[in-house]
Amino acid sequence: MAFSPTFTTNDSHMNFKHLANTRAESRSRAGLTLVELMIAMAIGGVILATVGSLSLWTGKSFAAMANYTELDAASRNALDVLTREIRQVKGLHSFTDTTNQTELALIDWDSQYLYYRYNKSAKTLTRVKAGEPTTLLRDCTTLKFDLYQRNNVSNTFNQYQVSSGTNMAMTCKVIRINWVCSRKLLPTELLNSESVQTAKIVIRDK
């Protein structure tokens, strides 16, 4: 009697299932295709570019805030010094404005000369008393002194501006100062880190 093998339905089902699992495992172990790799690199590049731009913008914003805080503190200190000292001087000695420098020379309360010199190329405002210089402002992009008389213009709160001449020292009663400080964040970028500072100071001793 010849023996013929028989297969049950369950055995056939298990064999097909095992074969399907083997193929699935083979596909899962295979590497990425070229198209999938290119797509992944493109997505990664976009993410890196976004993060880099955000980091650059954040760093620039923090640097601008730090610049503004530092320059504003220096301007406030300079304004306090100018207001306190100019109020108590005896009067104006001379005023010169050249291409490289603006100088305001005053006769201080102790009859010594007090100078305020703005160097346009160095962008510094320096106070000089008894030969001792003190830098009040750095990174000062623009600075201007305006001299005014005691008398007010009719129906206004403004004074008549002093004209240059021999009577300048005699007629000057009010001194107005305007300046702007700025600093470079990058070698090619000039950032105005504060608003215009202005003050009109009355000489009390005149």
Side-chain angles (χ1 to χ4, degrees), residues 30-131:
L32 294 176
T33 64
L34 181 59
V35 175
E36 292 173 338
L37 181 62
M38 293 179 64
I39 294 175
M41 292 179 62
I43 295 174
V46 171
I47 294 174
L48 289 177
T50 303
V51 173
S53 300
L54 182 61
S55 300
L56 180 61
W57 180 83
T58 303
K60 186 176 178 180
S61 298
F62 277 115
M65 291 174 62
N67 273 345
Y68 177 83
T69 302
E70 184 176 350
L71 293 176
D72 185 67
S75 291
R76 288 178 180 274
N77 179 69
L79 186 60
D80 290 341
V81 172
L82 290 166
T83 303
R84 182 179 65 251
E85 293 187 341
I86 293 177
R87 282 178 178 174
Q88 65 183 6
V89 300
K90 292 183 177 180
L92 175 70
H93 176 261
S94 63
F95 175 72
T96 56
D97 187 9
T98 62
T99 304
N100 298 322
Q101 180 174 276
T102 300
E103 181 183 85
L104 181 69
L106 304 169
I107 303 174
D108 208 356
W109 62 273
D110 55 0
S111 299
Q112 295 188 22
Y113 289 126
L114 174 63
Y115 299 94
Y116 293 105
R117 293 168 180 164
Y118 172 57
N119 189 313
K120 299 178 181 179
S121 58
K123 299 180 181 179
T124 56
L125 175 65
T126 306
R127 172 192 182 273
V128 181
K129 175 76 178 289

Side-chain angles (χ1 to χ4, degrees), residues 1 5 13 32 161 196 200:
M1 181 177 180
H13 177 72
L32 294 176
Q161 193 164 4
V196 178
K200 184 179 283 189

